[in-house]
Amino acid sequence: MTEKRFLSERSETQGATMPAWRNETYGPASGFRRQQIAVRTPGPGEVLLRVHATALNAGDVRLMLGDPLLVRPIFGLTKPKNPVRGMDVAGTIVAVGDGVADASPGDEVVVELPGGGGLAEYAVAPAARLVVRPVEVSVAQAACLPIAGGTAWQALDAARIAPAEQPQRVLIIGASGGVGTFAVQLAALRGAEIWATCGERNRALVEELGAARVLDHRTAPLAGLPAAHFDAVIDIAGGIPLRALQRLVRDGGTVVLVTGDGGHVLGPIPRMLKAAVLSVGSRRRIRSLAATPKPAVVRELLALVAAGSLRSVIEREYPFAEASAALAHVEAGHTVGKVVVLGAP
């Protein structure tokens, strides 16, 4: 796109409106409606993006529902502060705010938006979170990386899974979802021996991604696995007693809790507190992961995708006109890999 085109687009967005999918209240995906809303002007340290692809995450569903109630004081007590969902986007910068020195109109970037805003034609993003998208990586592939790929990377770091002379053995519970498909691939790249759990229909996919052994813990309980068999357990699926997970790791090993499962009010907080208690004085630690935006990690992930060493497993791409259906699909659970909404035409 030429400089003239960018100057024209920036001018056209000032005082303009755009299509966006919104729900002014907390509730299911069926409550979202396509509406015309004002295009925001980027403030200091921000950029305006034309959104080309938005990848949806479980976190989008939790914010959509306002569940657990614990998140509402931050994201909106009685209704969402930002009624537009979608945090992971790939797009083109069309305007920059004051103080932005390292980004320019025309840059193709990937970013995790704070709280949402991706299911719209344009979105405002913090410049500090931007990562340039390599030309070898499609917008759909790139949009999947910040939250799901970043969480998988941070979970492996927390589990201390790294290249070593003696391969580490890691169990990934819930390996066929967005985070899980990245975790299997990244663990394989770090030289680990991967055991994984998923539904039978996804066994071939998880094996293809790098798992040496795949089982369905719903039909083959983890209690049947030998004690102290793993250097690390990464729990993405949830619902398994903490002591059962702790039993599986060797002394010096780590259980990493990625899932946000828990009650409607406090969410994962009680489980996190119990994990901390069980770790006191134990050589088998349980760590609760609170993944954070890390542009440096997204840059590494993009490089791996560009090199052909990593891929985003995309179950389905939805056109912008069907964004509410995409949200409903993720809300229903059991998504294989990622769901992506393409930008407004």
Side-chain angles (χ1 to χ4, degrees):
M1 193 181 290
T2 66
E3 182 178 357
K4 182 178 179 181
R5 169 72 182 278
F6 283 114
L7 291 173
S8 173
E9 186 162 14
R10 176 175 181 172
S11 176
E12 290 173 2
T13 59
Q14 293 176 352
T17 62
M18 64 178 178
W21 286 89
R22 292 161 55 92
N23 189 352
E24 297 289 347
T25 63
Y26 288 117
S30 58
F32 278 76
R33 297 291 181 268
R34 180 172 173 165
Q35 301 173 351
Q36 289 293 123
I37 65 173
V39 178
R40 274 188 58 199
T41 299
E46 295 180 330
V47 303
L48 180 67
L49 302 177
R50 182 175 178 89
V51 177
H52 299 313
T54 301
L56 299 177
N57 296 278
D60 292 305
V61 172
R62 288 195 291 272
L63 290 180
M64 178 180 78
L65 300 174
D67 184 45
L69 296 179
L70 182 70
V71 306
R72 295 196 181 189
I74 301 171
F75 295 101
L77 196 58
T78 60
K79 61 181 181 179
K81 292 178 182 178
N82 186 344
V84 181
R85 299 276 58 82
M87 292 182 282
D88 280 354
V89 305
T92 306
I93 298 175
V94 297
V96 300
D98 293 339
V100 176
D102 297 328
S104 304
D107 289 351
E108 296 288 339
V109 297
V110 185
V111 66
E112 178 184 338
L113 303 175
L119 293 181
E121 185 176 9
Y122 295 94
V124 170
R129 293 190 181 184
L130 299 175
V131 181
V132 174
R133 175 175 65 86
V135 295
E136 300 90 346
V137 183
S138 72
V139 292
Q141 285 274 316
C144 297
L145 297 175
I147 291 180
T151 298
W153 184 291
Q154 293 176 57
L156 291 170
D157 284 350
R160 294 176 290 186
I161 299 300
E165 290 184 10
Q166 181 67 32
Q168 296 165 292
R169 184 181 295 126
V170 57
L171 173 64
I172 298 173
I173 302 173
S176 60
V179 176
T181 51
F182 282 120
V184 172
Q185 294 178 82
L186 291 171
L189 288 172
R190 298 186 186 194
E193 176 190 329
I194 304 156
W195 293 37
T197 79
C198 65
E200 184 60 33
R201 71 187 179 105
N202 299 320
R203 172 185 292 272
L205 168 66
V206 174
E207 289 176 340
E208 177 191 340
L209 295 177
R213 291 194 57 178
V214 180
L215 58 139
D216 186 342
H217 68 265
R218 294 166 299 184
T219 58
L222 299 183
L225 294 176
H229 194 60
F230 299 96
D231 295 283
V233 171
I234 297 176
D235 180 21
I236 304 168
I240 300 170
L242 294 179
R243 289 188 183 278
L245 297 174
Q246 196 175 34
R247 182 190 74 87
L248 293 173
V249 294
R250 62 169 178 78
D251 285 351
T254 306
V255 175
V256 178
L257 306 178
V258 176
T259 175
D261 64 341
H264 178 55
V265 177
L266 296 178
I269 298 300
R271 185 173 171 87
M272 292 168 65
L273 292 174
K274 184 175 181 181
V277 171
L278 289 175
S279 294
V280 173
S282 174
R283 297 189 62 194
R284 302 177 180 186
R285 300 174 59 204
I286 306 177
R287 297 191 58 182
S288 299
L289 180 68
T292 57
K294 291 185 180 293
V297 169
V298 177
R299 192 171 295 110
E300 294 281 355
L301 293 168
L302 284 164
L304 289 171
V305 176
S309 302
L310 180 73
R311 68 183 173 100
S312 302
V313 176
I314 300 175
E315 179 180 359
R316 183 171 174 183
E317 295 179 7
Y318 287 79
F320 185 77
E322 298 176 15
S324 62
L327 277 169
H329 183 78
V330 178
E331 180 186 2
H334 310 299
T335 300
V336 179
K338 300 291 296 177
V339 167
V340 175
V341 177
L342 300 178

